[in-house]
């Protein structure tokens, strides 16, 4: 329980501020936004835990110390403001005032560029899944998919994740016929490859490089947060209420990450990592579909949670089976 103390403290402070802004209705909306964020990012916590377990203790602490302000203020507040600022050719301060005084216009500007955001986040998450799926690993979950002759051959082929991602990118470019979408997609692929390259250079003895691991986790967090930030406007147009609600959810995701690292949850529940990556694939596909047809955040969260739940139950079954 100690891992969640800070989250409960931030929640109480955040809800207190929300009450001052808009009374009990604002408190209720923040509560709902927090649940939305956790449901959309539970798989994020699992993947974060896997990456964080390979980082040194000092960088684990820095991820919490610096990562929380970046997650709350950077990804849930400043990043959307930056997107609108660039799209509308306005200064950051002007965009902030627009969000403050005319939330409808701010939301419209953000929504007008959501497709670029979706395709960027989807491409990055697709690379996260493919890199996991085609790596050599001893534990297989869905053996029909993961443990067959074709996958064995492809796993031994160099750069298979990149090849598949490029093929998907070409299909998306053909379907959208939009150069800015193509740039967003391949920009995400390039960013993933750059982070992986520098991580390989600076990692040693299986311990991920501190700064590169930190950056990877922040980009991963950003990719997961896009859905929540855009979907939050369905509940509130007040950017401070949105930041508080999503920030509360982000805090609990961080606490859950720490809990899984210190309790070695992924070692006890061996299929959780698999379930999280299948949920990531589902989220990437949904982000691509969102470009053509809007899908509810409730559906997205349910699918992601479903994969995690099935993986969790499968892990328990396998553990009991092994004990027998």
């Amino acid at each position: 329980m100690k891992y969640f103390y800070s989250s409960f403290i931030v929640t109480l402070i955040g809800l207190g501020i929300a009450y001052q802004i808009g009374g009990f209705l604002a408190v209720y909306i923040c509560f709902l936004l927090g649940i939305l964020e956790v449901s959309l990012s539970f798989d994020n916590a699992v993947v974060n835990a896997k990456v964080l377990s390979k980082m040194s203790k000092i960088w684990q602490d820095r991820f919490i110390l610096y990562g929380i302000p970046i997650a709350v203020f950077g990804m849930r507040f400043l990043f959307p403001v930056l997107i609108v600022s660039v799209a509308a050719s306005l200064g950051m301060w002007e965009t902030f005032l627009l969000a403050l005084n005319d939330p409808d216009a701010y939301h419209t500007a953000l929504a007008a560029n959501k497709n670029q955001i979706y395709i960027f986040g989807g491409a990055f998450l697709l690379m996260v899944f493919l890199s996991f799926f085609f790596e050599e690993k001893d534990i297989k979950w869905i053996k029909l998919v993961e443990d067959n002759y074709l996958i064995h051959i492809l796993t031994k082929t160099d750069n298979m994740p990149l090849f598949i991602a490029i093929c998907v990118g070409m299909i998306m470019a053909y379907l959208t016929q939009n150069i800015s979408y193509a740039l967003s997609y391949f920009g995400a692929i390039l960013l993933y490859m750059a982070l992986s390259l520098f991580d390989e250079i600076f990692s040693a003895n299986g311990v991920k490089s501190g700064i590169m691991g930190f950056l990877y986790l922040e980009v991963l967090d950003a990719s997961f947060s896009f859905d929540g930030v855009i979907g939050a406007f369905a509940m509130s147009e007040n950017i401070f209420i949105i930041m508080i609600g999503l920030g509360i959810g982000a805090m609990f995701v961080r606490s859950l990450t720490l809990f899984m690292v210190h309790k070695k949850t992924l070692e006890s529940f061996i299929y959780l990592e698999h379930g999280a990556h299948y949920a990531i694939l589902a989220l990437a596909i949904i982000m691509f579909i969102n470009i053509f047809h809007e899908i509810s955040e409730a559906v997205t969260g349910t699918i992601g949670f479903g994969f995690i739940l099935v993986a969790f139950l499968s892990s328990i079954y396998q553990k009991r089976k092994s004990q027998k």
Side-chain angles (χ1 to χ4, degrees):
M1 199 66 182
K2 66 179 181 179
Y3 300 101
F4 297 90
Y5 287 159
S6 59
S7 295
F8 285 118
I9 292 172
V10 168
T11 298
L12 291 175
I13 295 172
L15 294 181
I17 296 172
Y19 179 79
Q20 296 298 319
I21 294 174
F24 286 110
L25 178 60
V27 171
Y28 180 60
I29 291 173
C30 283
F31 176 75
L32 292 178
L33 287 172
I35 294 175
L36 171 69
E37 179 67 17
V38 173
S39 66
L40 289 174
S41 300
F42 193 91
D43 40 1
N44 187 14
V46 176
V47 178
N48 281 355
K50 179 67 175 180
V51 176
L52 209 60
S53 65
K54 296 181 180 180
M55 295 171 64
S56 63
K57 179 65 168 60
I58 187 171
W59 276 102
Q60 290 181 2
D61 295 337
R62 287 173 180 172
F63 172 70
I64 300 303
L65 182 62
Y66 304 125
I68 287 175
I70 293 174
V72 175
F73 297 105
M75 292 301 113
R76 275 83 182 169
F77 183 74
L78 291 179
F79 185 73
V81 171
L82 176 62
I83 292 293
V84 175
S85 173
V86 173
S89 299
L90 297 172
M92 287 286 287
W93 180 247
E94 292 176 284
T95 306
F96 171 75
L97 293 178
L98 179 69
L100 198 61
N101 301 318
D102 193 354
D104 284 335
Y106 173 81
H107 180 207
T108 300
L110 181 62
N113 294 275
K114 65 181 181 180
N115 286 347
Q116 288 94 322
I117 297 173
Y118 279 141
I119 202 165
F120 181 92
F124 190 87
L125 293 178
L126 178 63
M127 281 299 299
V128 171
F129 169 77
L130 291 174
S131 296
F132 168 80
F133 188 78
F134 287 106
E135 74 177 6
E136 294 279 359
K137 47 187 178 290
D138 297 325
I139 299 172
K140 314 288 185 183
W141 182 31
I142 307 176
K143 290 189 167 59
L144 182 65
V145 177
E146 302 172 18
D147 195 15
N148 58 67
Y149 180 75
L150 177 61
I151 296 301
H152 287 167
I153 297 298
L154 295 180
T155 300
K156 296 176 182 178
T157 305
D158 292 337
N159 299 319
M160 183 52 62
L162 181 59
F163 174 76
I164 294 176
I166 290 174
C167 290
V168 173
M170 293 178 70
I171 293 171
M172 292 298 296
Y174 173 77
L175 292 175
T176 59
Q177 297 289 305
N178 189 307
I179 187 64
S180 64
Y181 293 178
L183 289 174
S184 295
Y185 183 95
F186 288 106
I189 301 299
L190 185 62
L191 176 61
Y192 182 90
M193 297 305 296
L195 289 173
S196 299
L197 174 64
F198 284 109
D199 183 52
E200 286 183 14
I201 293 173
F202 294 110
S203 295
N205 299 321
V207 177
K208 292 183 75 68
S209 161
I211 186 63
M212 296 314 302
F214 180 85
L215 291 176
Y216 175 81
L217 288 173
E218 293 306 323
V219 176
L220 188 64
D221 178 69
S223 299
F224 276 97
S225 71
F226 293 149
D227 248 14
V229 170
I230 295 172
F233 279 94
M235 299 185 190
S236 175
E237 292 183 344
N238 187 307
I239 58 172
F240 296 108
I241 295 298
I242 290 173
M243 183 187 72
I244 292 170
L246 296 181
I248 288 171
M251 279 293 301
F252 276 97
V253 171
R254 287 297 195 280
S255 297
L256 191 59
T257 298
L258 273 184
F259 175 83
M260 287 190 285
V261 170
H262 293 151
K263 295 295 183 180
K264 301 186 184 302
T265 304
L266 298 184
E267 294 180 12
S268 300
F269 302 97
I270 58 175
Y271 298 134
L272 265 186
E273 187 182 5
H274 294 71
H277 280 89
Y278 281 109
I280 285 174
L281 174 63
L283 179 55
I285 292 172
I286 289 172
M287 283 184 165
F288 294 148
I289 294 175
N290 270 329
I291 298 170
F292 308 99
H293 178 74
E294 195 72 27
I295 296 179
S296 168
E297 286 77 19
V299 174
T300 305
T302 301
I303 292 174
F305 179 75
F307 274 115
I308 296 293
L309 179 60
V310 173
F312 176 74
L313 294 175
S314 298
S315 299
I316 293 177
Y317 173 77
Q318 182 62 37
K319 192 174 182 179
R320 290 177 177 175
K321 184 178 177 181
S322 300
Q323 288 174 345
K324 288 181 181 180

